[in-house]
């Protein structure tokens, strides 16, 4: 959390036969006001991504925050996802409520949203 903006963290997850990227970005959308943006991207096409739903969860100090959406394809630009606001957005004070020694622990669940509903917790 304390690294200067802009900073990106990217983590790859494999589940349900596909690879997903969690992208967490810290950037100043307005001068002097850093924000955190988190989204899940599928390594594949948007048609493939439309078959899944992901959930990001922050849980700390008797607080819980959840974001649920359809992942976007890596063929799209992360910048456009952030500028569209189609991601979890945290300002610094909200992020600090969920931080543990300067780190955000983000729980991830990915489910199939078509045909059958099997869930993979990561």
């Amino acid at each position: 959390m304390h690294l200067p903006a802009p900073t990106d963290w990217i983590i790859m997850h494999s589940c349900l036969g596909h690879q997903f990227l969690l992208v967490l970005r810290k950037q100043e959308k307005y001068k002097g006001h850093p924000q955190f943006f988190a989204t899940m991207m599928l390594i594949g096409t948007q048609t493939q991504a439309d078959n899944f739903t992901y959930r990001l969860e922050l849980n700390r100090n008797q607080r819980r925050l959840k974001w649920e959406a359809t992942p976007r394809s890596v063929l799209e630009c992360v910048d456009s996802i952030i500028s569209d606001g189609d991601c979890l957005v945290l300002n610094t004070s909200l992020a600090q409520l969920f931080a543990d020694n300067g780190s955000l622990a983000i729980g991830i669940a990915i489910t199939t949203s078509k045909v059958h509903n099997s869930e993979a917790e990561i």
Side-chain angles (χ1 to χ4, degrees), residues 16 18 25 40 48 60-61 64 84 89 98 100 105 122:
L16 302 172
H18 294 273
R25 175 176 288 178
M40 186 67 70
Q48 291 172 308
R60 180 146 167 71
N61 297 324
R64 181 177 304 220
D84 291 348
V89 181
F98 293 100
D100 183 14
I122 301 174

Side-chain angles (χ1 to χ4, degrees), residues 9-24:
W9 294 268
I10 300 174
I11 300 168
M12 187 164 96
H13 297 284
S14 294
C15 66
L16 302 172
H18 294 273
Q19 287 74 42
F20 297 85
L21 298 177
L22 171 64
V23 179
L24 177 63

Side-chain angles (χ1 to χ4, degrees), residues 1-114:
M1 267 191 48
H2 302 294
L3 294 174
T7 302
D8 285 341
W9 294 268
I10 300 174
I11 300 168
M12 187 164 96
H13 297 284
S14 294
C15 66
L16 302 172
H18 294 273
Q19 287 74 42
F20 297 85
L21 298 177
L22 171 64
V23 179
L24 177 63
R25 175 176 288 178
K26 180 181 182 182
Q27 96 179 27
E28 289 188 3
K29 211 162 184 193
Y30 307 103
K31 189 166 175 72
H33 299 283
Q35 293 179 305
F36 295 87
F37 304 87
T39 189
M40 186 67 70
M41 302 181 83
L42 174 77
I43 298 177
T45 66
Q46 189 57 49
T47 301
Q48 291 172 308
D50 288 341
N51 292 314
F52 298 95
T53 300
Y54 74 93
R55 184 173 57 248
L56 304 178
E57 183 175 318
L58 298 160
N59 190 355
R60 180 146 167 71
N61 297 324
Q62 298 179 359
R63 293 176 176 87
R64 181 177 304 220
L65 180 66
K66 291 182 181 183
W67 170 265
E68 186 171 293
T70 299
R72 303 281 282 269
S73 168
V74 293
L75 302 175
E76 293 186 52
C77 178
V78 174
D79 293 334
S80 67
I81 295 169
I82 290 172
S83 65
D84 291 348
D86 190 17
C87 57
L88 173 64
V89 181
L90 303 169
N91 63 26
T92 304
S93 60
L94 186 57
Q96 287 173 345
L97 287 174
F98 293 100
D100 183 14
N101 294 323
S103 295
L104 285 174
I106 301 175
I108 302 166
I110 300 172
T111 59
T112 57
S113 53
K114 295 192 177 164

